[in-house]
Amino acid sequence: MVAISKPPVELSFLKPCKQTNNNHHPIKLPTIPIIDLSKSESKHLLVKACQDFGFFKVVNHGVPLKFINKLESEAMKFFSSPLSLKQKAGPPDPFGYGNKHLGQNGDFGWVEYLLLNLKLGPDHKNPTISVFEDNPEEFQCAVNDYVTAVKKMTCEILELLADELKLQARNVFSKMLLDEQSDSVFRVNYYPPCPEIQEQEMIGFGEHTDPQIISVLRSNNTSGLEILLKNGSWMAVPPDSNSFFVNVGDSLQVMTNGRFKSVKHRVVANSLKSRLSMIYFGGPPLNEKIAPLPSLMESDEASLYKEFTWFEYKKSAFNSRLSDNRLVVFETNHNISS
């Protein structure tokens, strides 16, 4: 059995212990919206979830379990490999293998990851995957099968949203993911167990919003994901390896002129068990113009955001810290939410 390498414990990863409720009154937490894609009412519930939470869980999603299990198995093989082998797939540029360092601006986390470029297409070999000594084609095939199925489900969700919003073109969101130049990426995060930390919690991935249109996450049954509620408190998301969790991205928030909310989220490391998450980030082409959709706005409604291209926003996000409000520099004077 190969020992899984662990990043060293650093104080910058720590966050204070959870505060106790001294009033002894039970704190009522909201319930994560659950969307059953097989039900006719899913359109209405999807829009409500995007407005109220910016986050929801999807069941009866249609993604074959064999694709999920295969990719998880292949990913665990990689992260269980010797560090020297994994480092051949790095350092990230931004694609490749990374360990602890998140971006170029000083963010750290108790995490190892693989970030893969989806623009290469199924017929091109991803250079990151070439480090797999046994059978790199098997991992590439697992990624392709999984991403193709998840992308199909994601486009279905975006088209259901467009239907419920009464948009004339139901592919107004999904066409950006289906475009050959779509700047979508795929990330696999591995959070090793951290038994050294008991009295405090270890930040696996710091608080942030996702800049793309939409992100779709699936993880194993280890807890750790938390979302930030409107009252400023963090809510733990119960894990469910058979379902997907969906985040509204910053770009979708802009396109709906703030109707949909891009929610801040983070991951806290587990002291006993490892966590593996696989995330599809649905992004538009680099030259795509992002702005509130005129067809969604009332006649007297002011635009809360300036128009920008995805390239401009991506560049701005790349030069920011994880926890920064990346949209603030693109807000108009009419946006008083900040």
Side-chain angles (χ1 to χ4, degrees), residues 15-35:
K15 73 180 184 73
C17 296
K18 292 180 178 177
Q19 294 182 348
T20 55
N21 179 21
N22 295 324
N23 295 326
H24 303 292
H25 296 304
I27 300 175
K28 185 176 181 180
L29 293 175
T31 303
I32 301 293
I34 300 176
I35 311 298

Side-chain angles (χ1 to χ4, degrees), residues 108-126:
F108 292 87
W110 186 258
V111 63
E112 299 178 47
Y113 66 88
L114 269 178
L115 185 63
L116 302 179
N117 184 0
L118 297 182
K119 275 187 183 177
L120 295 175
D123 298 326
H124 296 80
K125 290 186 176 180
N126 197 312

Side-chain angles (χ1 to χ4, degrees), residues 9 31 109 148 284 307 316:
V9 176
T31 303
T148 298
E307 181 181 89
S316 175

